Amino acid sequence: MAAKKKFSWQAGQSSAQNAAEVLPALARAFFVQGKTLTPQVKLEALHSFRIQSKRFRDTLELFRPCYTPRLERLLKLLRDVQQILGELNDLTTTRQMLADRGFAKSQPHVLDDLETRLAEKAAQFFSLWQQTCGRQGEERRWVNYLAGGTINPTRPVRKRDAA
C-alpha cells in the first residue's frame, strides 16, 4: 500500500478551498496504486487497494457539499470498486478458512469452486477498472474536478439565514 501522506489543512481557508488543495493528491495516490494492479498481482495487493479505496471514498463523502452532483457518480464508482474487492476478500478468507480445516483433502471440489469464483471476481474487478478508471485521461479528469469542481463554499448557517 502506498505510504500515508500527512496533509495539513489551512485554518484560514474554507472547507472547499482545503478540499481543492488536498483531494487531488488523494485521487492521484488512488490512481497510482490502481495502475500497479494486474491480473497477476497477489490478492493481498487487491485487499490493500480496497482499503485505500474506502479511505478515499470516505474522505470524498465528507466534502459532498463542496462539489457539484458529479461527485455522486464518482462515489458510486468507488462503491462499485469496493463492492467487488470486498467480495473478492470474502472469497479469499473463506477459501483460507476451509483450507485450514482440511477441505483440500476431504472436499477438494469446494476449494476448486472457490478458486473459480475468485478468478471470476478478479476478472470482474479488472474489467470494471479498465472500463472506468483505466480509461485514457481518467486520472486527470478526477484530479481536475477535485481541484476546481467546487461550487459555493459551505458556510455555517447563521440565525438570520435560517429564518
Side-chain angles (χ1 to χ4, degrees):
M1 186 165 143
K4 286 185 183 181
K5 182 177 178 182
K6 297 267 184 188
F7 295 100
S8 61
W9 295 91
Q10 303 301 317
Q13 294 182 347
S14 70
S15 296
Q17 290 167 325
N18 275 298
E21 288 182 18
V22 172
L23 295 181
L26 294 178
R28 279 188 212 96
F30 169 77
F31 279 92
V32 164
Q33 187 172 3
K35 289 175 186 177
T36 67
L37 303 174
T38 66
Q40 296 75 32
V41 74
K42 292 184 178 187
L43 293 173
E44 293 84 15
L46 293 173
H47 179 64
S48 175
F49 187 62
R50 174 180 167 241
I51 293 168
Q52 181 182 1
S53 300
K54 180 173 177 16
R55 288 179 180 148
F56 180 42
R57 189 196 90 210
D58 289 348
T59 302
L60 290 179
E61 286 178 342
L62 292 172
F63 294 96
R64 273 184 169 131
C66 301
Y67 289 91
T68 65
R70 177 179 173 207
L71 184 62
E72 292 304 318
R73 291 190 303 274
L74 302 179
L75 291 170
K76 182 187 180 318
L77 174 59
L78 290 172
R79 276 188 220 97
D80 292 345
V81 165
Q82 283 179 255
Q83 178 68 33
I84 294 169
L85 292 174
E87 291 170 9
L88 189 61
N89 188 61
D90 291 347
L91 289 167
T92 302
T93 301
T94 301
R95 181 191 64 182
Q96 186 61 51
M97 182 182 70
L98 294 175
D100 291 347
R101 286 171 174 71
F103 273 67
K105 292 182 181 177
S106 65
Q107 297 184 30
H109 66 282
V110 173
L111 294 181
D112 292 343
D113 289 347
L114 282 171
E115 286 294 331
T116 300
R117 290 177 61 199
L118 276 165
E120 290 168 353
K121 195 55 65 176
Q124 184 183 3
F125 164 73
F126 286 109
S127 176
L128 176 63
W129 181 264
Q130 288 306 314
Q131 293 170 16
T132 57
C133 298
R135 292 184 308 195
Q136 182 73 26
E138 195 64 16
E139 176 182 354
R140 179 181 41 79
R141 282 188 281 278
W142 280 62
V143 167
N144 288 345
Y145 173 71
L146 292 172
T150 57
I151 54 174
N152 295 328
T154 57
R155 60 184 172 85
V157 175
R158 295 184 207 136
K159 286 184 182 179
R160 65 182 159 92
D161 291 342

